[in-house]
Amino acid sequence: MYLVCGEALFDVFSLENSTRSSELGFTAIAGGSPFNVAVGLRRLGVASALFGGVSSDYLGARLRRVLEEERVDCRYVVTSDAPTTLAMVGLDANGSAQYQFRGEGCADRQVTLAHLPELDERVRGIHVGSYTLVVQPVADTLMALVERERDRRLISLDPNVRLNPQPDVALWRRQVEAFAGHAHVIKASEEDIALLYPGRETRDVARGWLNDRCRLVFITHGADGASVHCAHGSWQRPADTSLPVSDTVGAGDTFQAAVLAYLARLGADSPAGVAKLAHETIDAILTYAIHAAAITCSRKGPNLPFDHELPANPYAAPL
């Protein structure tokens, strides 16, 4: 089981369906990067649990209901009376999402050191990411968790940089580098790298994260596919263009969930397992994650794929 750590919120999309300028309709979809990864893992047949703050308000109750319907383990969810974060989402002409967050003082931030869970052997890996890496007190709590568990469980990281909740790029850089020092697998987008390290080559940043602990770094490049960086070298695969693109909301989270699901199904969801992966297996993981993300991009919003929608036997590559 993966323990996915971070925010659960509602993505709020405006609806251009009124003839009156004074009226604006909205639709809200349960989301948040870690929330999506937890759901995505379950849809791909891998057990997951969420460690994060969820409000006791009606929106928080709805988030918990979605988690339960998706069979995500809620035993580590921290409930508070703080409100639920709302992410206002706008889509550009290419379907790429722009976010503005209404989250100051909200429940997803109210996870403290007192809430640190004791974990048993069922938890094989811990995933952290997005703006809960940089807002307090939850950021310090997640740091304490990965510091405590890094030698016992697989740690994965997705910066998923969002400057609206925290506009201090220097803080983002410090926090991402600190979490990266504990991670065995890192996934980031080309946009993340450009925000964190303007002027630097994406490949150089990715390979700079590799060390005796971190053995796999995946970078998503939008319409140009994705790349992987590891002890076997660096290479890129093109995007899957077999499906039409509706929007890109949830694509990165899908890619992340697919990588972790593949590792779990291989039995390689451990520091030692990741370190032993062959070139062919890593390439198969990359291809699988690209295809999974393409399915999400073909649908509206973060509607992540199920296992039956992907190749029937993607785990045949040798370790």
Side-chain angles (χ1 to χ4, degrees):
M1 179 169 72
Y2 284 104
L3 181 65
V4 183
C5 309
E7 69 268 15
L9 50 80
F10 272 96
D11 289 322
V12 181
F13 299 81
S14 62
L15 301 175
E16 301 294 340
N17 59 354
S18 175
T19 58
R20 298 177 60 187
S21 299
S22 59
E23 294 180 356
L24 185 61
F26 294 95
T27 185
I29 301 175
S33 178
F35 181 97
N36 290 339
V37 172
V39 169
L41 282 165
R42 285 303 298 129
R43 290 188 174 192
L44 294 176
V46 175
S48 68
L50 182 71
F51 175 49
V54 173
S55 178
S56 59
D57 66 15
Y58 75 99
L59 292 174
R62 189 62 171 258
L63 289 170
R64 183 183 284 269
R65 175 178 163 186
V66 174
L67 290 170
E68 291 171 348
E69 289 176 350
E70 297 282 354
R71 297 178 297 138
V72 175
D73 194 326
C74 292
R75 76 182 68 191
Y76 304 107
V77 168
V78 177
T79 305
S80 76
D81 293 333
T84 298
T85 293
L86 299 179
M88 313 304 291
V89 186
L91 301 176
D92 65 17
N94 297 318
S96 296
Q98 305 295 321
Y99 296 87
Q100 289 187 338
F101 291 84
R102 310 294 195 266
E104 189 67 33
C106 288
D108 50 9
R109 306 182 185 209
Q110 309 308 313
V111 181
T112 69
L113 292 172
H115 297 122
L116 277 176
E118 291 300 321
L119 306 178
D120 58 29
E121 67 281 355
R122 288 174 297 178
V123 178
R124 299 271 297 169
I126 295 172
H127 175 71
V128 294
S130 200
Y131 66 78
T132 45
L133 302 177
V134 296
V135 297
Q136 297 295 351
V138 63
D140 284 348
T141 304
L142 298 186
M143 180 62 72
L145 179 64
V146 298
E147 285 179 337
R148 189 188 77 186
E149 300 293 336
R150 66 178 189 172
D151 293 326
R152 290 184 283 181
R153 308 174 208 276
L154 184 74
I155 306 296
S156 62
L157 166 68
D158 175 9
N160 196 43
V161 178
R162 297 287 182 261
L163 295 182
N164 186 264
Q166 174 49 264
D168 188 340
V169 175
L171 174 60
W172 268 100
R173 190 181 303 118
R174 289 195 302 272
Q175 288 294 97
V176 169
E177 289 174 354
F179 278 97
H182 302 299
H184 305 97
V185 179
I186 298 175
K187 172 260 167 190
S189 69
E190 198 170 55
E191 291 83 0
D192 291 335
I193 304 299
L195 288 169
L196 293 172
Y197 305 100
R200 290 188 59 185
E201 290 292 332
T202 300
R203 183 183 184 279
D204 293 341
V205 173
R207 293 206 64 83
W209 280 329
L210 295 172
N211 53 44
D212 289 342
R213 182 182 302 278
C214 181
R215 309 306 290 266
L216 282 177
V217 176
F218 293 93
I219 306 294
T220 56
H221 302 276
D224 293 323
S227 60
V228 65
H229 309 267
C230 61
H232 302 292
S234 299
W235 66 94
Q236 186 166 337
R237 288 275 183 184
D240 183 340
T241 58
S242 63
L243 297 169
V245 175
S246 177
D247 66 52
T248 64
V249 178
D253 304 328
T254 304
F255 189 99
Q256 180 71 69
V259 167
L260 296 179
Y262 205 123
L263 292 173
R265 297 283 288 270
L266 282 174
D269 52 343
S270 67
V274 167
K276 294 177 182 177
L277 292 173
H279 180 286
E280 294 80 7
T281 304
I282 296 171
D283 191 53
I285 295 171
L286 178 63
T287 302
Y288 180 75
I290 288 172
H291 183 55
I295 295 174
T296 296
C297 288
S298 72
R299 310 198 276 222
K300 287 288 186 183
N303 186 1
L304 282 66
F306 290 86
D307 195 38
H308 66 80
E309 297 178 274
L310 286 146
N313 186 24
Y315 313 105
L319 285 173

